[in-house]
Structure formats: structure tokens, C-alpha cells
Amino acid sequence: MADLKDEKRPQFGGRFLTDASQVFQHNAWDNVSWDEAQEAEARLKVESNTKTKVSEAQQRKYEEEAARYWDEFYSQHQNRFFKDRHWLFVEFPELAADQVALMTPDSPSYDKQESSLKEHSSKVLDHLTSKTDKKLVGSENEVLPVESDTNQKEMHANAVHLQSSSQEGYPGSSSTLQIFEVGCGVGNTVLPVLRTNNNPNLYIYGCDLSSQAVEILKEQPDYDPCRCHVFACDVTDPNSVLPFPDKSLDVIVLIFVLSAINPERFQFTINRLASYLKPGGMIVFRDYGRYDLAQLRFKDGQSLGDNFYVRGDGTRVYFFTQDKLRELFTKAGLVEVQNITDRRLQVNRSRQLKMYRVWIQCKYRKPAAS
């Protein structure tokens, strides 16, 4: 197990590179600033790798068969692809809290609430690092599942099952703390929350485009159907059915998932998810930022559109800016709590390589008076 001192970092980390000659003394540096030259070089790389677009016919195939590509991904990797996600409860202490208080940054008690949540998350992290199965928890280098068209037979069966139940009797209806993860994959958020948040009133929902991922998750020993309900679903499809009513969720989790959706569906998806939040409920978000190493590594001919690419395995990825996310969430009627770019420098000391990662983390809350 890694040194716990390295695991229990403050938000966005606390190891700063002040002497460039010491860059290879550690594996990673936090909050690394880019100068104008580095930004210009990244911009040129993106211009170079977007000159040739994927044909319209191929783009339609990637869109229409998105579920198949993700099923193939999980069939190959099962639950072996992901590493520890020790930052989960540090960055999102709301997931470890006993309740999600309906506060905004302007509330007099907000700072006290945040401090309390972080203190609680530190205790949770001790529990996580001692008991987590490393194969089940993801890292920021991962590609996570996305919602799009999926196996039509399973989707239809799922929809019929959900529509047959009344809103009053939906799974988890008696719980007072309800969390929903979109793109739950094989449990990279669901399972750690189940293990660490012992609130008896907690209920977790998870959906994924890949029915293969959902089945793998259900087979995990920590999966508890009494506290959790996961299902295959395409949340970008307006005809898809979700198992809970509007204004019922406390927290919606979007971690490395929105980036895999067609950008044309971004606004609809966020609008739809916002409608399921209780007044005061929150969306927590973390995903790829513009000029992340993954974007710069794409070759010409893999571009689907502006900052949108297809990987070699057929899965897709978009790279965000803070402004783009602010526009999406605020248009959905949500209030910004956090919108931060996390720039990390990772190094390979044996090969003397520098790898610049860029992620964006956000929290947006539904107004309490909504």
C-alpha cells in the first residue's frame, strides 16, 4: 500500500513544484501553472490533430453503436482496468456525509459545513485505504462509461419494469438520502460509497450504457441490493425511463462520463438530470479539461468535432473548459458552488518524462427555492 501521507491529500493536492530542477524528485506535482508558450504549443497540437475529421458515416456508427463499444471494453477489462480513486471523498465529501445540507456558498454556515464534511471525509479515507479492493476503484487516467444507445432488448425490459411500478413504490423511495451516479461502470463510485457511508437512510442508484458493466457490478461482493439499484440506461435518450420521480435526488455524480457523450446532447442531459434534483440538491462533476495529455496524444483522423475524439476502441471523449461547463449547468438553472481547473504534472522518473494532466471539477446546486 502506498504511503498514507501521500494518499490523504487536501483538495487538489498540496505538493507544489517551486524548483524546476527538482521535478523528478516525486511522481506528481499539484496545481502546476502553464506559461503562454506551453499553452500555445498545446493549441498547435490540437489544431494539428483536428485537421481531418472522421467521416459522417463512421461518426453515425460510433453514435449508434456506442453501447456495443462500451460492452466490448468491459468484456475485455472486466474490473481490472481501474486503480484506487483515493481522491473521491476528499474532493467530494458530500458522498461520505450523513446528509446533504441545503446550503449555498453564501450561507453563514457554509464554511463550517464544508469543514465538517472534509473532517468526516478524512475518517472515511482511512477506512477506504484499509479496506478498498484496488481493482474496483478508478483513477483519473481512466475512461469511464457513458450513456448512449444500448442493447435495445434489455433497455425495453428495464423500461417496462420501471414503468410498471408506481412512483410511491419506486426502489429506495423510503430513503431520505438518495445518490445517483450516471456512468457507474463496474462500481468505481457506488462501491466505495456503499462501503464507507453507513447512513441507514442512504440509497444509491447507478446507471450505465453498458449492460456488461452493470452485470459485473452486481456480481461484486460489496454490492448490496437493499441499499443500491443499478441498471442499464441511456440518460441522453428522452424516451428512457429512470426509476425515481422528479425532485427526489440529493446528489447526482458525473465523474468522467459527460465527456463520452455526443456534445450535441450535453444540454439536454444536464437539463434532464437537474430536474431530478431536490431543491438544494447538488451535481458533483469531474472530467477531462482542454489540453489534457490525452487530448494532445490523439492523431489526425480521430477527430469527431471540436475537442471531441474517438479512441482506437471506438469509445469517445470530449475535453471541457470551465466556461463551457458553467454555461451548461447555469442554463439548467443550477447555481455554481465550485468550478476549478486541476492541473497536475505527473512524471516518469525512470524515463524522465513529464505528463501534464488537466481535469475540471465542479459542483452545482439546485436553488433551495426551486
Side-chain angles (χ1 to χ4, degrees):
M1 182 180 294
D3 185 348
L4 191 59
K5 185 163 56 178
D6 289 335
E7 310 289 2
K8 292 175 59 176
R9 60 180 178 81
Q11 277 197 323
F12 305 121
R15 179 178 288 150
F16 306 111
L17 181 62
T18 57
D19 182 353
S21 67
Q22 302 297 310
V23 66
F24 293 108
Q25 294 300 307
H26 297 285
N27 292 327
W29 301 92
D30 302 302
N31 299 328
V32 176
S33 299
W34 287 28
D35 58 26
E36 292 183 6
Q38 186 174 1
E39 190 93 13
E41 182 181 358
R43 191 179 305 112
L44 287 174
K45 286 184 178 180
V46 170
E47 290 175 1
S48 175
N49 69 22
T50 55
K51 290 180 180 179
T52 306
K53 298 291 191 295
V54 173
S55 69
E56 291 186 7
Q58 280 296 109
Q59 291 200 41
R60 284 195 299 273
K61 180 179 180 180
Y62 292 131
E63 178 75 11
E64 294 169 359
E65 300 183 24
R68 178 175 69 83
Y69 289 115
W70 282 111
D71 278 339
E72 291 176 353
F73 173 87
Y74 284 107
S75 293
Q76 176 183 355
H77 296 289
Q78 296 290 307
N79 62 3
R80 299 184 298 271
F81 185 77
F82 305 98
K83 299 179 181 179
D84 281 1
R85 183 184 276 171
H86 289 307
W87 51 265
L88 181 64
F89 297 110
V90 177
E91 305 299 348
F92 300 128
E94 296 84 359
L95 300 178
D98 291 335
Q99 60 182 351
V100 180
L102 307 184
M103 295 184 181
T104 68
D106 298 327
S107 303
S109 305
Y110 182 78
D111 289 338
K112 184 177 181 180
Q113 171 196 336
E114 286 287 288
S115 176
S116 176
L117 286 175
K118 290 174 184 176
E119 180 180 354
H120 181 67
S121 72
S122 178
K123 297 176 182 177
V124 167
L125 192 55
D126 286 335
H127 179 91
L128 177 65
T129 53
S130 65
K131 294 191 177 182
T132 293
D133 179 347
K134 293 186 178 182
K135 293 181 180 179
L136 297 178
V137 186
S139 75
E140 291 160 312
N141 297 320
E142 66 199 303
V143 287
L144 290 185
V146 61
E147 280 46 50
S148 198
D149 298 327
T150 190
N151 182 287
Q152 293 302 311
K153 291 182 179 179
E154 175 160 345
M155 293 295 245
H156 176 70
N158 186 52
V160 170
H161 169 72
L162 296 178
Q163 286 175 324
S164 66
S165 61
S166 68
Q167 292 288 17
E168 292 183 357
Y170 67 92
S173 58
S174 62
S175 300
T176 57
L177 176 58
Q178 299 182 16
I179 297 174
F180 176 38
E181 183 185 18
V182 180
C184 62
V186 293
N188 309 98
T189 295
V190 168
L191 295 178
V193 173
L194 286 174
R195 280 193 292 264
T196 58
N197 191 326
N198 295 318
N199 183 346
N201 294 311
L202 169 70
Y203 198 87
I204 307 176
Y205 306 92
C207 79
D208 201 277
L209 177 61
S210 170
S211 57
Q212 180 75 19
V214 170
E215 291 308 309
I216 294 172
L217 172 51
K218 288 180 177 179
E219 293 171 359
Q220 302 310 310
D222 286 329
Y223 179 74
D224 183 355
C226 295
R227 304 180 66 212
C228 184
H229 175 60
V230 297
F231 53 97
C233 182
D234 174 7
V235 297
T236 74
D237 178 1
N239 295 317
S240 64
V241 180
L242 295 175
F244 35 72
D246 288 353
K247 301 181 180 180
S248 62
L249 301 176
D250 294 278
V251 182
I252 296 175
V253 181
L254 301 175
I255 296 180
F256 293 100
V257 60
L258 192 65
S259 56
I261 293 174
N262 188 324
E264 294 178 358
R265 300 188 183 192
F266 283 167
Q267 193 63 64
F268 167 80
T269 302
I270 298 301
N271 289 352
R272 184 185 189 191
L273 293 175
S275 72
Y276 288 100
L277 285 175
K278 295 176 182 177
M282 179 183 289
I283 292 180
V284 297
F285 172 98
R286 189 171 176 88
D287 217 321
Y288 296 103
R290 187 71 48 84
Y291 305 145
D292 177 62
L293 174 67
Q295 182 177 17
L296 304 185
R297 281 182 169 175
F298 278 106
K299 305 298 183 184
D300 190 30
Q302 293 181 276
S303 174
L304 300 168
D306 290 345
N307 304 295
F308 191 41
Y309 302 83
V310 61
R311 301 184 181 93
D313 61 5
T315 61
R316 300 170 297 175
V317 60
Y318 182 88
F319 297 87
F320 293 96
T321 62
Q322 289 176 264
D323 288 341
K324 176 66 174 179
L325 291 165
R326 181 173 292 115
E327 176 186 7
L328 291 171
F329 286 112
T330 55
K331 278 187 175 181
L334 304 180
V335 177
E336 184 173 303
V337 176
Q338 182 187 64
N339 185 326
I340 298 174
T341 297
D342 181 8
R343 297 182 185 271
R344 196 78 52 83
L345 171 58
Q346 298 175 338
V347 301
N348 184 316
R349 289 188 278 181
S350 62
R351 299 174 61 190
Q352 298 286 286
L353 294 177
K354 300 177 185 179
M355 298 167 285
Y356 290 90
R357 306 310 309 267
V358 183
W359 303 294
I360 299 181
Q361 181 167 304
C362 300
K363 299 179 184 181
Y364 282 84
R365 191 181 292 276
K366 192 170 191 175
S370 179

